[in-house]
Amino acid sequence: MATLLARGVDRKIARMREFAESLLQAGDEPVRAGSLDQLEALDRSLLRMAGQTRTLVERAKLESARREAILSSMVEGVLAVDDQLRVTFCNQALARLAGTRMPGVGTPLMELVRDVALQETLADVIRTGEPAKRNLHIPVSSSGRSFELQAAPLITGNKPGDKPGAIAILHDITDLERLERIRNDFVANVSHEFRTPLAAISGYAETLLDGALEDPQHNRRFLEIINSNAIRLSNIAADLLTLSELQTGAPKDIEPIPVADALESALSTVAAEASRRGVSIERGNFENVTVSGSRYRLEQALVNLLANAVKFNRPGGSVRAESLRNGTEVRIVISDTGVGIPSNDLPRIFERFYRVDKGRSREVGGTGLGLSIVKHIVERMHGSVSATSQLGKGSAFTVTLPLA
Ligand code: ADP
């Protein structure tokens, strides 16, 4: 009886060992039970199985940690929902974009992101099993942000009855859209700025060709108009080129610049125009300090500011220039007794092509790019520029630069 019992137990142990062997990876040498008794063989198989299971768990943990690290370091928001549109996964970027804390598993999507379009897209993806892509505008901050949404069905379980959920990746394209808008506006502005002088040139040239050439009373005036418009075009092109150079590449020709010298030479450039317009120039304190940058560019910025102070002035008015040391900085102040700038235009005058009075700017040969160039030059020298103004009384532009 004991022998029979032992055989029965032996058979069961053999089956258990075979099962353990079958769980072990294919290719592993099976434990031969020939010389060992069945219990010893089972013990070995189980030990090996435990080892392999540990390795598998370690690998799975590592894989999961790696995936977690990738998902949480992504700037894109990643979100997974089940077939009932309940959140099953959400990375930190998505919670940040949605302006909420990390939601718990099972939170309804609508509680996380209040956006019908997102709901509808994910519901469609789950229903059709087809991926989808669309742009969304989600009111997550005061102004809302734009996202590019890419969604795909997500099958998590492997049972036949498991319903698919969906995974969504939200890419914040608010800044990209803003840049695209700026670029489009810029192209439209440039085309517009070119159109007016080009129309004048072709109009007057046609008039001359149609007979005005022989009209001694008008032909000279028409040619002067053509010439002044050609000069305007060339000024716009030159300013655009300067802006483009300032926006690309590293600053060139860095040298120590004595501020007083640069200011003096900028003043001499605008002196003739000032006296032609009956505007006097006053020199305030000229601090003898040195800044670092391109002397040519700094003088260009100062000439732009001084030329504006002269252009937007009145006969009998004055322009004052001074440089003052303030700790590790120098403040260059160009003030005038001119027409001034309305307070609601003041924040925009450093924008490209922004002009308070378009007519007057054109009349005095402005391109609307001068202050934008000043801002770029000063920022390249790690400084800043600001303006204050009183309508009808005058304006003051302050350039602050770090000392060399
Ligand atoms: P513009 O070529 O027209 O001078 P800017 O970029 O230099 O272009 O200046 C933008 C606008 O800011 C000007 O058109 C003008 O309306 C205003 N502005 C600039 N400087 C002065 C100033 N010193 N006094 C009054 N308005 C000014």
Side-chain angles (χ1 to χ4, degrees):
M1 270 189 59
T3 313
L4 280 175
L5 212 67
R7 265 197 214 137
V9 171
D10 219 28
R11 264 200 307 277
K12 280 180 192 157
I13 291 175
R15 273 209 302 277
M16 280 164 74
R17 188 178 56 76
E18 274 160 24
F19 175 67
E21 288 293 343
S22 75
L23 286 183
L24 285 169
Q25 264 177 1
D28 273 3
E29 191 64 24
V31 179
R32 299 250 167 259
S35 57
L36 308 165
D37 70 25
Q38 293 287 12
L39 263 177
E40 208 175 325
L42 173 65
D43 183 41
R44 287 204 187 168
S45 297
L46 286 178
L47 268 177
R48 277 176 51 206
M49 212 171 87
Q52 239 180 43
T53 311
R54 213 175 301 125
T55 316
L56 278 177
V57 168
E58 289 296 320
R59 210 179 288 165
K61 264 195 203 158
L62 190 75
E63 202 53 50
S64 153
R66 198 177 287 160
R67 204 172 309 139
E68 195 69 27
I70 292 173
L71 286 167
S72 57
S73 64
M74 274 172 78
V75 282
E76 287 88 1
V78 181
L79 170 79
V81 290
D82 63 12
D83 60 314
Q84 299 296 311
L85 294 182
R86 284 175 307 219
V87 177
T88 54
F89 174 82
C90 159
N91 72 348
Q92 277 151 0
L94 192 113
R96 212 173 29 246
L97 297 175
T100 62
R101 282 192 287 147
M102 286 289 273
V105 171
T107 307
L109 176 59
M110 205 49 165
E111 275 180 28
L112 179 66
V113 188
R114 290 200 166 277
D115 186 67
V116 180
L118 176 66
Q119 294 255 334
E120 281 175 359
T121 313
L122 294 185
D124 276 355
V125 166
I126 294 169
R127 191 170 42 78
T128 60
E130 295 286 329
K133 187 175 167 181
R134 67 184 286 188
N135 286 0
L136 303 175
H137 190 79
I138 302 180
V140 284
S141 58
S142 55
S143 56
R145 298 192 75 79
S146 301
F147 295 93
E148 185 186 78
L149 162 70
Q150 278 189 304
L154 179 71
I155 299 160
T156 38
N158 52 9
K159 291 194 280 318
D162 278 342
K163 291 190 179 152
I167 183 156
I169 298 180
L170 285 143
H171 182 200
D172 191 341
I173 52 166
T174 316
D175 292 340
L176 226 100
E177 273 189 351
R178 193 177 55 84
L179 285 177
E180 182 71 5
R181 222 173 15 250
I182 292 175
R183 201 177 66 92
N184 286 342
D185 285 356
F186 181 64
V187 172
N189 278 335
V190 170
S191 319
H192 182 77
E193 293 296 328
F194 274 98
R195 226 174 33 215
T196 321
L198 278 175
I201 290 172
S202 74
Y204 283 103
E206 262 174 41
T207 316
L208 283 171
L209 288 172
D210 284 349
L213 200 56
E214 328 302 335
D215 174 0
Q217 265 200 323
H218 292 110
N219 56 9
R220 192 178 171 81
R221 199 169 64 81
F222 288 176
L223 279 172
E224 276 165 5
I225 295 174
I226 290 178
N227 188 36
S228 79
N229 278 288
I231 291 172
R232 216 174 111 204
L233 279 180
S234 130
N235 286 345
I236 299 175
D239 278 359
L240 283 173
L241 209 65
T242 305
L243 266 182
S244 143
E245 268 173 32
L246 288 169
Q247 281 168 336
T248 50
K252 284 184 289 191
D253 312 322
I254 306 293
E255 57 192 322
I257 319 163
V259 170
D261 287 2
L263 206 44
E264 202 58 70
S265 113
L267 280 171
S268 63
T269 309
V270 297
E273 181 67 10
S275 77
R276 203 175 66 77
R277 287 178 183 270
V279 173
S280 63
I281 288 182
E282 291 171 16
R283 283 171 173 72
N285 179 39
F286 274 28
E287 195 82 53
N288 199 14
V289 288
T290 308
V291 293
S292 167
S294 150
R295 177 168 179 150
Y296 168 73
R297 289 292 185 212
L298 178 62
E299 279 184 23
Q300 185 180 22
L302 297 176
V303 166
N304 281 0
L305 291 176
L306 287 166
N308 277 350
V310 170
K311 280 189 308 192
F312 299 102
N313 218 313
R314 310 167 242 255
S318 67
V319 171
R320 184 183 161 85
E322 59 187 336
S323 64
L324 305 154
R325 188 189 174 134
N326 183 19
T328 55
E329 294 174 337
V330 58
R331 286 211 320 259
I332 305 170
V333 185
I334 313 281
S335 49
D336 63 67
T337 57
V339 295
I341 303 161
S343 55
N344 48 339
D345 289 304
L346 204 55
R348 299 197 57 190
I349 52 169
F350 292 98
E351 288 175 22
R352 290 177 298 200
F353 294 119
Y354 193 84
R355 285 172 288 207
V356 179
D357 178 348
K358 274 194 191 302
R360 172 151 189 167
S361 165
R362 285 214 184 96
E363 223 173 87
V364 292
T367 60
L369 295 169
L371 288 181
S372 179
I373 290 175
V374 171
K375 189 165 183 275
H376 277 94
I377 292 176
V378 170
E379 282 176 358
R380 274 206 154 194
M381 296 174 73
H382 309 291
S384 61
V385 56
S386 62
T388 55
S389 187
Q390 264 190 301
L391 196 57
K393 294 214 168 132
S395 318
F397 286 79
T398 306
V399 171
T400 309
L401 294 171
L403 297 179

